[in-house]
Structure formats: structure tokens, C-alpha cells
Amino acid sequence: MSDAHVPVRGEDEPEQLREQFRQLLRYRWLIGGGVGVGLLAGAWLGITGAESYAATTDIVLRAPTGDPFAPTLSSDKAINMGSERQTALSRKVAEGAAKRLGMGADEVDRLQHGLQVTNPPQTLVLHFTYNASDPKEAARRANALTRSYVDLRREQWESVRGSMLKSLQDQLDPVAKQNDELSQRIKGLSDGSAADSAYAVQANLLNRITDLRSKITSLKALDMTPGNVIRDATVPTSSDGPGLPLSLGLGGGVGVGLGLLGAWVRLVFDPAPRSAGDVARAVRGPVLGALPRGSAGALVVGRTDSRAAEEYRSIAFRLAYDERFADRRRLLVVAPRGSMESSVAVAVNLAASFAETGKNVLLVEADLRTPSLSERLDVSTASRPRWSRVPEHTEGEWPGRGQLMVDAAESGSFGLVPGERVRNVPRALTSAATTRLIAEADDPDATVVVVAPPVLAYADALALVDRVDGVLIVCDPRTVHRADLVRIRELIVGAGGTVLGAVTHTESRRGASANAARRGNRHREPRSSAARPAPSSTRPEPGRHLDGDGGDTVALRTVRSGDR
């Protein structure tokens, strides 16, 4: 089968987006948690905002000037709005407002905490906003802070002007005194060169005096108003918050975004395969089928017309048309790690599906550690076909000469070589008898399905991959990692095998608990066959019925050396 069965949608962007959204929905608890956090934050914002009232004032700033109508005046260059905003938020302004409001010095920080000052772009306007729980108090404090800022800036400008006037006056006084002394001396001089020189010096002094007095007059004529209040604060009639319904809506929207972000981060760092495409890329083979939830159980093909049975038939048909499997039909079914429940269910149902098409099917249970397949199926004793007979058989070896027939109801029946506990599992799996059992199925209508323990738990499956035509990997995408699937493919290819594809399944929690309990009970059983109870007449124990050896009775049992 070619890799064309792997869905390639690199150019279908809408389909990729839908697939990614479906993958994000795997983490519904993260999305739900984000929505819950957003709603709680929105509710808190709506409740706290309902008790907050905002009062606002506006001030247009201006620089001190003697002629406000002068065309060369550029206030935006004389005023730094960033510095003015920091001044408005300073503690000095808050202290002045506290004195106006009659508040103590210990309440200055609390008064300053509720103030916000902003500057609209490309303007000389400072926007004062004060938030308080009482609307009247918010308006009163906003106006007090605005007046305090205006007074502080006026005091600062006047202080600068006073220092400049003092400096100019200090320069003027010596020059004026020198001019007075020179005038007295000129009166005593006669006409001549000395008088001319004194007059020239006096002219320079008069020019200096005139310049200094002009500067002093200009400074005294300046308008020191730092700005004009263009809007006084009024008592707000409604709260400053967005309201509880709008807050919940905003919180829910933000929560959805946070949940999706968290789900996306979890999806990026999730080691498990996110989709069938991830499984196909990891094993470098197609996903032949996806079993419904909880369908990895008993034999369903031939007994029910469920969705799971049809899915098994679909997998069997896809394998039948795979050119790598169609010639000799030898299939190995394995799981990555953990339980064999899913791989055994797939192997049994595929055997029933092949039998339904008229093939001579032999199911080989290569689990020689905890075999249990014959106990779970409706089996009966039968003679083995010629092509599956073992010419030579040594007591205590596997496979033995006994074979069971599995009744698959309407699908017919197929042979079963059950597993048996042996002392040396690797030797049994690599023995000549096992090789002949798998390799001598040369009948065109024959199909051999081998089920082995998990690949990452035991090396049993790797001992069989070079004697089959392909390997089918059965996995649960929720519990297996992409690195595990890549490792399994590398091990199978390195052992000389071929991965035909994968089958995914989703095990229900109830089924997983039941399987765990069943495995625990099976592992608690004694390993010696002599300690087991005698099998019933309708469900003979696997490997205990040999052709013509007299062991097919009800009350007697055959104990082999390998079970001691």
C-alpha cells in the first residue's frame, strides 16, 4: 500500500485551520479554565468599578509673555508637556491640595493615589482625572488639585522672575553709582580732551543703564499666569466602570483568548500525537483505521453489525490490497507498550475478517509470558491443517502440535495457536518450529496473523518481524508519545521488518479500569499449571489437547515440563 493513504493537506489551509481548532478542543479544561478566570476578573471589575466615580478638569498651559498676541510667540517650544505632567503628579501639588481641603499630612499619599493626569497629543492641555467612591468628593478633590497646580506653577514662575530682577538690579546699581560719580567729576572739568574722554565714558554707562532698566521693565511687565482652567470638575452622575454586563462580556472574551493560548501552548509541548497525520508521519505509514471508543475488546466481527466491526473489515480490505502484504499474507500485530488488550483485539478481529472472505486463517499468540487468548475466545479442539503442522515436536516446546478453532459466528472460524509459558522465551520464538509455522503457509488462500507483546516492553516482537510480510502498530494517541512511535519504527526496520501502517483507538476509562483489574488478576495467578483449576468441558485450556494423545478428556490434564 502506498503512502497515498496518508492525508496530505499542505495546500488546503482552511482544512489545516479546522484540524488545528479540533486539536485545540482536546484541551477543553484549559479553555474552560481561561473562560472561568476571565469571567471572575470581569465580575470583579464590574463590582469594583460600580463604586468608582471620576471627575475631570482641563487646563490650557501657556508660557509667561509680555505680549500674548505677538506673532513670533511659540508656546509649544517654551513648555515641556512631559515635565508639566510630572509636576502635576508631584507631591508638592498634592500637599497644596490637602491644605485647601483641610486634610492632614498623613492623607497626602491617599489623595495623590486617586489622581491621573494625561496630555492629549498635539495639544497644550493637561487633563486631570480624579477617582473616588463619592462623586461629590471626586469633584471637590479634582478642583483642589487643579488650583494647587496652577498656584504652584505661578509661584515657580514668579520665583524665577524675582531672581532675574534681583540679578539685573545688582548689575544696575554699580553702573548707576559710577554714572553719578562721573557726572560730578565732569562738572569740574574744563573743555578739552579730558572732558571729551569723560563724556564718552558716560555715554557708555548710560547705554548700559538703559539696557538694564529695559530688561527690568520687560520682566516686570510679564504675565505670569501658567495657564487657564477651561473646564471645572462637576459632580459625576454615573460610575466610571463599564458596568457588570459589559465587564462580564469583556472578561469572557479575554478568558476565551487566554484559554486558547494556554491550549495552544499545551498542544505545542504535547508529546502525544495530535492527529492521525502525526501518527502517520511518526511510523511513516498510513493510518489504516481509527477504532471507535471502547471497541478494543472482544471479538465483534461476525457477531455484531456495529461500527467497530465495519471498521475492522475496512482495515482488513486495505491490508488485502497492499502489495507488500497481498502475496503471502503474514501479519504481525503489536502495541507500543503497556497492555496487549488493543493489539489482541485487532489481531482477533482481523483474523475473523480474513476468514469472512474465505481465507484459511491461523492466529498465532506469540505471548509466551502471560498467555490468555484461549480463555477469552469461544474455542474448540480441532486438527491442524497440513500446512501448519509441526513435523517434529519436543515435549515442553512451543508451538506444540495442538490447535484450537475459534468460532467467529457468521464469519466462520479460524485456527488458533495459543501461547504457552516457557522457560526460554527468545529460544522458543526463534526456534525452527516457529519459523516453519509462519513460513510454511504457502497456500494462496492462507493468512497468518501473529500477535506479540508490546515492542518497547519486550524484544519478542523483534524476533518475529523478519518472518512476516509486515507489521501493524496498534496505539492509543492519547497515551503514546511520538518519540515512542518513531522508536518502534526504527526497531522494526532495523530488525528487517516493514511497517504496513497503524491503527488508532481510544479506550474508555471504564474499559481501562476493567482491563487493569483483569491484568492484575491474571498476574496474581500461579505460574505453575498444576496449581490451576481444571478446565471446564466447554473451554479447554490451550496447548493441552494433542492429536491422538488421550489428553482431550475432562477430568485428566497433561502437565508439561516447561510449566513446572
Side-chain angles (χ1 to χ4, degrees), residues 20-39 251-264 266:
Q20 291 178 1
F21 185 74
R22 284 193 293 267
Q23 293 171 10
L24 288 177
L25 291 180
R26 295 170 55 187
Y27 307 103
R28 296 182 180 89
W29 60 276
L30 274 175
I31 300 176
V35 173
V37 171
L39 290 177
V254 174
V256 170
L258 290 176
L260 290 176
L261 178 61
W264 178 79
R266 178 68 178 87

Side-chain angles (χ1 to χ4, degrees), residues 356-368:
E356 198 172 42
T357 61
K359 302 295 182 181
N360 296 325
V361 182
L362 179 63
L363 176 61
V364 179
E365 183 185 16
D367 181 13
L368 308 183

Side-chain angles (χ1 to χ4, degrees), residues 199-215:
Y199 280 122
V201 173
Q202 187 180 28
N204 291 333
L205 291 177
L206 290 175
N207 291 334
R208 177 64 176 167
I209 292 172
T210 302
D211 182 55
L212 291 175
R213 286 178 175 175
S214 175
K215 291 181 179 179

Side-chain angles (χ1 to χ4, degrees), residues 43-57:
W44 177 82
L45 179 63
I47 294 174
T48 56
E51 300 177 355
S52 177
Y53 295 87
T56 60
T57 60

Side-chain angles (χ1 to χ4, degrees), residues 114-131:
L115 176 64
Q116 294 180 355
V117 180
T118 58
N119 169 231
Q122 306 299 325
T123 64
L124 296 176
V125 176
L126 283 182
H127 185 74
F128 286 71
T129 303
Y130 195 87
N131 293 278

Side-chain angles (χ1 to χ4, degrees), residues 461-478:
L462 300 179
L464 301 170
V465 294
D466 60 339
R467 281 169 282 181
V468 296
D469 299 307
V471 180
L472 184 63
I473 301 175
V474 182
C475 64
D476 185 353
R478 300 182 308 170

Side-chain angles (χ1 to χ4, degrees), residues 211-489:
D211 182 55
L212 291 175
R213 286 178 175 175
S214 175
K215 291 181 179 179
I216 292 174
T217 302
S218 298
L219 285 175
K220 290 182 178 180
L222 289 177
D223 183 3
M224 306 305 295
T225 303
N228 299 320
V229 179
I230 59 176
R231 183 173 66 173
D232 291 325
T234 58
V235 178
T237 58
S238 60
S239 62
D240 186 51
L244 185 60
L246 182 58
S247 298
L248 289 177
L250 293 175
V254 174
V256 170
L258 290 176
L260 290 176
L261 178 61
W264 178 79
V265 173
R266 178 68 178 87
L267 183 65
V268 169
F269 293 98
D270 189 4
R274 297 182 296 233
S275 62
D278 284 353
V279 176
R281 284 187 289 270
V283 302
R284 293 188 182 178
V287 175
L288 300 178
L291 302 179
R293 182 183 297 273
S295 61
L299 177 62
V300 295
V301 175
R303 296 184 177 179
T304 62
D305 292 332
S306 61
R307 176 188 169 193
E310 293 302 321
E311 189 68 25
Y312 283 122
R313 292 188 180 99
S314 176
I315 297 171
F317 276 113
R318 297 186 70 178
L319 285 171
Y321 288 102
D322 191 337
E323 59 184 10
R324 297 171 294 179
F325 175 74
D327 293 339
R328 295 189 299 171
R329 298 179 182 273
R330 295 176 176 87
L331 178 67
L332 176 63
V333 182
V334 294
R337 61 170 77 246
S339 172
M340 288 183 59
E341 301 291 337
S342 57
S343 59
V344 167
V346 172
V348 170
N349 285 279
L350 286 181
S353 299
F354 287 126
E356 198 172 42
T357 61
K359 302 295 182 181
N360 296 325
V361 182
L362 179 63
L363 176 61
V364 179
E365 183 185 16
D367 181 13
L368 308 183
R369 303 176 188 275
T370 56
S372 62
L373 191 53
S374 62
E375 301 174 0
R376 300 165 52 185
L377 300 176
D378 185 8
V379 298
S380 60
T381 58
S383 60
R384 179 174 297 179
R386 177 191 59 80
W387 58 269
S388 64
R389 289 181 182 272
V390 180
E392 298 178 0
H393 176 259
T394 304
E395 189 72 17
E397 288 186 354
W398 182 89
R401 288 194 288 178
Q403 179 189 349
L404 302 177
M405 293 300 296
V406 179
D407 182 13
E410 296 181 0
S411 296
S413 61
F414 56 90
L416 170 64
V417 178
E420 298 179 12
R421 290 188 178 92
V422 296
R423 289 186 175 182
N424 195 324
V425 175
R427 179 178 298 176
L429 293 175
T430 57
S431 64
T434 304
T435 303
R436 286 193 296 269
L437 175 64
I438 299 175
E440 291 183 1
D442 52 0
D443 190 337
D445 293 331
T447 300
V448 176
V449 180
V450 184
V451 57
V455 179
L456 299 180
Y458 303 101
D460 299 356
L462 300 179
L464 301 170
V465 294
D466 60 339
R467 281 169 282 181
V468 296
D469 299 307
V471 180
L472 184 63
I473 301 175
V474 182
C475 64
D476 185 353
R478 300 182 308 170
T479 59
V480 71
H481 292 178
R482 289 189 296 271
D484 293 343
L485 296 177
V486 173
R487 177 62 176 164
I488 291 172
R489 179 185 57 79

Side-chain angles (χ1 to χ4, degrees), residues 41-109:
W44 177 82
L45 179 63
I47 294 174
T48 56
E51 300 177 355
S52 177
Y53 295 87
T56 60
T57 60
D58 290 330
I59 303 176
V60 178
L61 302 184
R62 49 170 293 185
T65 179
D67 184 6
F69 304 103
T72 59
L73 183 64
S74 180
S75 299
D76 57 340
K77 295 182 179 179
I79 300 176
N80 188 326
M81 297 304 298
S83 300
E84 296 296 332
R85 179 177 175 274
Q86 295 299 322
T87 302
L89 292 171
S90 65
R91 186 177 179 84
K92 293 286 290 183
V93 172
E95 290 176 351
K99 292 180 181 179
R100 286 176 174 271
L101 297 171
M103 301 172 64
D106 55 341
E107 297 179 336
V108 174
D109 292 336

